Amino acid sequence: MAQKNNDEQFKNVISHAKEYGFVFQSSEIYDGLSAVYDYGQLGAELKNNIKYYWWKAMVQMHENIVGIDSAIFMHPKVWKASGHVDGFNDPMIDNKDSNKRYRADQLLENKIDELYSELANFSAENKAKFEEFQQEILGLSNEGQASWIPSFKDEDGILDNAKYPFVDEASWRFVKKGLALEVEMNLALKSENLAQLKDLIVGYKVICPISKTSNWTDVRQFNLMFSTQFGAMAEGSDEVYLRPETAQGIFVNFLNVQKSGRMKIPFGIAQIGKAFRNEVIARQFIMRMREFEQMEMQFFVRPGEDKKWFEYWKDARLKWHKALGTSPEKYRYHDHVKLAHYANAATDIEFEFPFGFKEVEGIHSRTDFDLTQHQEFSGKKMQYFDNDLNEEGKPYGNYVPYVIETSIGLDRMFLLTMINAFEEQDLSTADKQDSRTLLRLHPALAPYKVAVFPLTKKDGLPEKAREIMDTLKFDFNCIYEEKDAIGKRYRRQDAIGTPFCLTIDHQSLEDNTVTIRHRDSMEQERVAIADLGDIIGKAVSWKTLLA
Ligand code: ATP
């Protein structure tokens, strides 16, 4: 039932986003382009506000972080050096009966989730014990993990371990199988053993959700980068890529920024920009797109201080999310056990979407991998001279800095914001059925801050309303509406998240006061026009989020 409600809620958010001009399918009149979306008139405003919140918090509130805007096209060698040409692949498998393509690891992850669903039958104490045990196993070396597989796969063998005596025996059989598969999948992914991935899909009887058969092709690697020809002449042109992440534009400019900005370590470079990935399975609206936007920051630190800064950014980034007023239980960290080749620590900030907890942001400790690779491939030094003194009183000297990255998907943050704000309120009373749809956006993020309504279209009220709007519009994005009854106008603003509505009536002409109506409480009060700037200004100020 809860799942059904969640699906319904998600569907409602998607249709609301379209109905009110937040998000449209790209090229809709041609039936759309899969996993590509356009932001409409209100979507563009909300997106800009989210960007601004991030830029303000990350760049302008940190003296040691600066922002850049690098090009989408980069020299093809950049992607050789970064590992994307050879390694930015997903292992894909096709079902021969439905002709549908899947990510092999996602098929297996779904199977693991199915087996782990038996954890619901564990006592809370045993569940916690299991999770500890699981972390312990996944933290072992490859050999250590592999050595456990036979006992997990032995259906009848109940784990004989004094530290973890699981007593929920029937369910433990399934959970144990899930753990075996998780370990086997991780090992196959780490060693890029595609044949083994296929064996697991077949061995664990994974079936295609469409054809319901297990008639699978072999697993193949599929590179996610889009490429295109650079230069006018087909023969003389080079293949270039549309960047799959914005981070590399920061790495290749590391010395330009450091020198021109006289930056001292630790310091950060941030940017917001488009990224492109030829996702094979694109779904869940703007959650996984082929063209999307990232907000990334690379923080350059002294080697050996990476762990400390990783913890700092993990904490700082979650605070940024929570400042928006989201209930804290909607967020969690997911520490990576299986690390990318360049990372020595990684965590995701996950949000509970209607379809489950999913990554919104990644925080990665990328070591000196990227700068060292660019140093090697370009032949240019990527070093920093640190003249601070170490414990022995000597300068730290030359080194390639270590990097902590924070990387958040702007579109996922947009979706999160919409889902979080969307509310259908029942306002029925004993004698009247009533409801309203509300976007409870933080006022600083709301597309319009204030709606200005003359009570009627005559008696000089529109002129007075325009006069008020003309003074407010320098500081706040305003919208003017004179059509329909006031109640209807309020509801329309509730649906797009406008925190304040002002009604100008005949009394306004006499005493220069208006009615201000608050979106969330629906309360109305009479205030002086001269005070409006202060009242609205306080509520929508970035200080409410950043202080
Ligand atoms: P996922 O595991 O969901 O594919 P990822 O680990 O590949 O994501 P990163 O490479 O760490 O993602 O990218 C950083 C952020 O960019 C993600 O946290 C996510 O918010 C966003 N992102 C990545 N891929 C997409 C996409 N296809 N569409 C929208 N946002 C994306």
Side-chain angles (χ1 to χ4, degrees):
M1 191 62 195
Q3 184 55 41
K4 185 161 175 283
N5 289 343
N6 285 345
D7 289 349
E8 200 124 298
Q9 186 215 7
F10 188 44
K11 265 195 219 134
N12 291 344
V13 170
I14 295 173
S15 51
H16 191 83
K18 180 173 177 199
E19 188 183 342
Y20 287 92
F22 285 90
V23 182
F24 307 122
Q25 168 99 63
S26 157
S27 323
E28 198 187 66
I29 57 167
Y30 293 98
D31 293 333
L33 183 65
S34 160
V36 186
Y37 291 88
D38 297 335
Y39 287 84
Q41 65 280 15
L42 293 184
E45 293 286 349
L46 175 57
K47 200 174 174 200
N48 276 341
N49 291 341
I50 296 173
K51 278 192 214 179
Y52 188 78
Y53 174 39
W54 185 85
W55 191 266
K56 187 88 200 157
M58 297 296 283
V59 179
Q60 297 180 353
M61 301 293 287
H62 284 96
E63 281 175 35
N64 59 350
I65 301 182
V66 290
I68 64 166
D69 183 7
S70 73
I72 286 170
F73 288 132
M74 301 184 76
H75 195 287
K77 273 196 189 166
V78 166
W79 306 109
K80 255 317 229 188
S82 68
H84 284 81
V85 171
D86 299 318
F88 194 49
N89 300 316
D90 275 346
M92 306 306 306
I93 190 165
D94 294 8
N95 182 272
K96 290 187 207 159
D97 296 323
S98 65
N99 287 325
K100 286 280 169 206
R101 180 163 290 177
Y102 300 93
R103 260 174 64 179
D105 56 331
Q106 282 182 353
L107 282 179
L108 290 170
E109 267 164 16
N110 292 345
K111 185 76 194 178
I112 295 168
D113 284 348
E114 188 189 311
L115 293 163
Y116 281 167
S117 66
E118 290 283 328
L119 276 172
N121 301 327
F122 272 39
S123 68
E125 191 195 340
N126 277 345
K127 189 160 175 259
K129 264 200 246 164
F130 170 74
E131 280 160 2
E132 198 190 319
F133 179 62
Q134 180 193 30
Q135 290 306 315
E136 204 174 287
I137 297 294
L138 296 176
L140 294 175
S141 65
N142 291 355
E143 295 72 34
Q145 288 186 42
S147 69
W148 278 91
I149 295 173
S151 60
F152 294 155
K153 284 179 113 166
D154 175 4
E155 290 243 337
D156 297 320
I158 299 299
L159 190 71
D160 179 22
N161 183 333
K163 196 165 160 207
Y164 300 109
F166 299 108
V167 288
D168 311 82
E169 288 180 11
S171 299
W172 170 231
R173 282 205 175 86
F174 287 93
V175 173
K176 210 164 58 145
K177 209 166 163 190
L179 192 51
L181 178 53
E182 188 172 10
V183 169
E184 288 179 288
M185 181 187 78
N186 285 348
L187 294 176
L189 285 173
K190 264 194 206 159
S191 58
E192 291 188 28
N193 188 338
L194 303 182
Q196 171 71 3
L197 286 176
K198 165 145 189 207
D199 287 348
L200 291 174
I201 288 174
V202 175
Y204 281 82
K205 300 194 173 60
V206 175
I207 56 165
C208 164
I210 310 233
S211 67
K212 313 281 182 217
T213 71
S214 52
N215 191 8
W216 298 107
T217 61
D218 286 342
V219 177
R220 285 183 302 263
Q221 290 288 21
F222 180 92
N223 194 292
L224 298 185
M225 281 198 293
F226 284 98
S227 64
T228 187
Q229 297 303 118
F230 203 68
M233 306 290 287
E235 312 92 70
S237 59
D238 279 323
E239 188 180 39
V240 293
Y241 299 101
L242 295 184
R243 65 180 178 200
E245 62 176 27
T246 58
Q248 298 303 324
I250 294 179
F251 290 124
V252 299
N253 277 301
F254 161 69
L255 280 184
N256 283 339
V257 174
Q258 189 271 318
K259 294 209 163 102
S260 59
R262 297 185 301 145
M263 308 301 289
K264 252 181 86 79
I265 270 183
F267 73 92
I269 307 177
Q271 83 164 323
I272 300 177
K274 291 267 182 165
F276 304 82
R277 295 182 188 177
N278 199 1
E279 300 279 4
V280 182
I281 303 152
R283 58 180 172 203
Q284 285 154 341
F285 194 40
I286 55 174
M287 188 72 194
R288 189 172 297 284
M289 302 153 91
R290 296 204 166 96
E291 173 180 341
F292 59 103
E293 216 158 337
Q294 291 184 312
M295 306 193 282
E296 296 198 300
M297 193 275 302
Q298 312 293 325
F299 199 69
F300 300 90
V301 304
R302 209 173 267 156
E305 297 190 356
D306 39 323
K307 288 274 150 56
K308 176 181 94 184
W309 284 109
F310 176 69
E311 291 306 324
Y312 171 87
W313 282 110
K314 223 174 122 171
D315 185 52
R317 291 305 305 149
L318 189 59
K319 280 196 181 124
W320 181 91
H321 284 272
K322 287 187 178 164
L324 286 167
T326 319
S327 38
E329 65 272 18
K330 289 257 167 202
Y331 278 106
R332 73 177 188 198
Y333 290 121
H334 169 79
D335 292 328
H336 288 210
V337 180
K338 172 177 87 192
L339 292 170
H341 57 285
Y342 53 75
N344 65 8
T347 206
D348 294 337
I349 294 181
E350 295 186 337
F351 175 77
E352 190 176 15
F353 288 92
F355 37 84
F357 272 99
K358 297 280 173 228
E359 168 181 349
V360 198
E361 171 156 9
I363 295 136
H364 309 124
S365 177
R366 293 179 76 123
T367 67
D368 58 355
F369 174 81
D370 302 87
L371 290 179
T372 306
Q373 286 290 102
H374 287 306
Q375 181 163 280
E376 213 168 276
F377 277 73
S378 68
K380 311 270 166 25
K381 282 248 175 298
M382 285 294 201
Q383 294 189 352
Y384 171 83
F385 183 77
D386 190 338
N387 53 15
D388 279 2
L389 302 182
N390 63 20
E391 279 163 10
E392 290 154 25
K394 295 193 186 122
Y396 283 95
N398 265 319
Y399 56 78
V400 177
Y402 270 47
V403 173
I404 309 301
E405 163 182 86
T406 72
S407 172
I408 171 169
L410 175 54
D411 311 271
R412 279 195 199 170
M413 187 62 205
F414 184 101
L415 180 60
L416 177 167
T417 307
M418 289 290 285
I419 287 172
N420 221 7
F422 184 79
E423 197 175 317
E424 282 172 316
Q425 272 183 351
D426 184 0
L427 303 173
S428 302
T429 53
D431 33 53
K432 199 171 145 228
Q433 287 255 317
D434 197 9
S435 66
R436 67 168 179 161
T437 305
L438 176 67
L439 272 193
R440 213 185 263 279
L441 294 169
H442 189 288
L445 297 188
Y448 291 114
K449 309 304 178 199
V450 52
V452 184
F453 305 155
L455 183 63
T456 63
K457 283 190 221 167
K458 47 186 205 282
D459 303 335
L461 298 183
E463 290 74 11
K464 184 74 181 170
R466 290 267 179 215
E467 190 189 304
I468 294 172
M469 179 149 155
D470 283 345
T471 60
L472 292 177
K473 72 183 180 195
F474 293 99
D475 295 314
F476 313 111
N477 197 20
C478 305
I479 179 169
Y480 176 86
E481 281 215 78
E482 56 178 28
K483 248 178 66 191
D484 297 322
I486 288 288
K488 223 171 173 185
R489 284 184 254 172
Y490 282 158
R491 291 297 151 85
R492 200 182 141 71
Q493 295 307 316
D494 289 345
I496 62 174
T498 310
F500 300 106
C501 295
L502 309 179
T503 302
I504 288 84
D505 56 15
H506 295 89
Q507 192 187 330
S508 310
L509 302 177
E510 285 159 23
D511 65 2
N512 276 316
T513 63
V514 296
T515 305
I516 187 166
R517 186 252 191 193
H518 300 261
R519 178 195 67 198
D520 297 349
S521 63
M522 298 193 284
E523 269 165 23
Q524 301 182 19
E525 50 180 331
R526 194 96 205 165
V527 298
I529 292 170
D531 293 338
L532 286 172
D534 262 6
I535 298 171
I536 302 164
K538 253 190 213 129
V540 307
S541 161
W542 294 104
K543 258 195 205 157
T544 57
L545 288 171
L546 296 163

